[in-house]
Amino acid sequence: MMKRTQKTVEKMAEILTNNDKVQEVMTMLAEKAEEKGLSLGEWEQVKVGILTNCFFMVAMKDEQIRNDLGMDIYEEINA
């Protein structure tokens, strides 16, 4: 299991969940998704996509996160 990366993703999800500005945007997006007729499953996929994009944007700027991701992938391949 990609322990280092999982910790980073969990921390990011916690920050995003507890940030009022992020919650305002997510509420707005949820309303738009409902207006467009997205199912709950489709909305969940959108949220996962948002978190994934956030992770990779941060990883592109943070050497330690890139190194952790690289080590996790290396360990998974060689397990």
Side-chain angles (χ1 to χ4, degrees):
M1 186 171 149
M2 298 179 57
K3 296 173 191 169
R4 297 170 200 88
T5 301
Q6 184 65 32
K7 278 183 173 179
T8 301
V9 170
E10 287 171 0
K11 185 63 177 172
M12 286 177 65
E14 179 184 324
I15 290 167
L16 294 172
T17 300
N18 294 322
N19 183 287
D20 291 337
K21 289 180 183 178
V22 171
Q23 288 308 302
E24 287 177 28
V25 171
M26 294 306 287
T27 299
M28 180 195 64
L29 291 174
E31 290 168 358
K32 293 290 183 187
E34 187 175 350
E35 288 174 14
K36 298 285 184 184
L38 267 65
S39 69
L40 186 57
E42 291 170 325
W43 171 237
E44 289 299 320
Q45 288 179 340
V46 169
K47 291 193 307 186
V48 168
I50 291 169
L51 180 59
T52 301
N53 285 329
C54 287
F55 173 80
F56 284 109
M57 288 173 67
V58 170
M60 287 171 42
K61 296 181 184 285
D62 187 287
E63 184 177 358
Q64 184 61 52
I65 292 174
R66 281 194 313 273
N67 290 341
D68 288 347
L69 178 60
M71 286 302 298
D72 282 345
I73 291 170
Y74 176 82
E75 290 171 359
E76 287 291 317
I77 290 170
N78 292 296

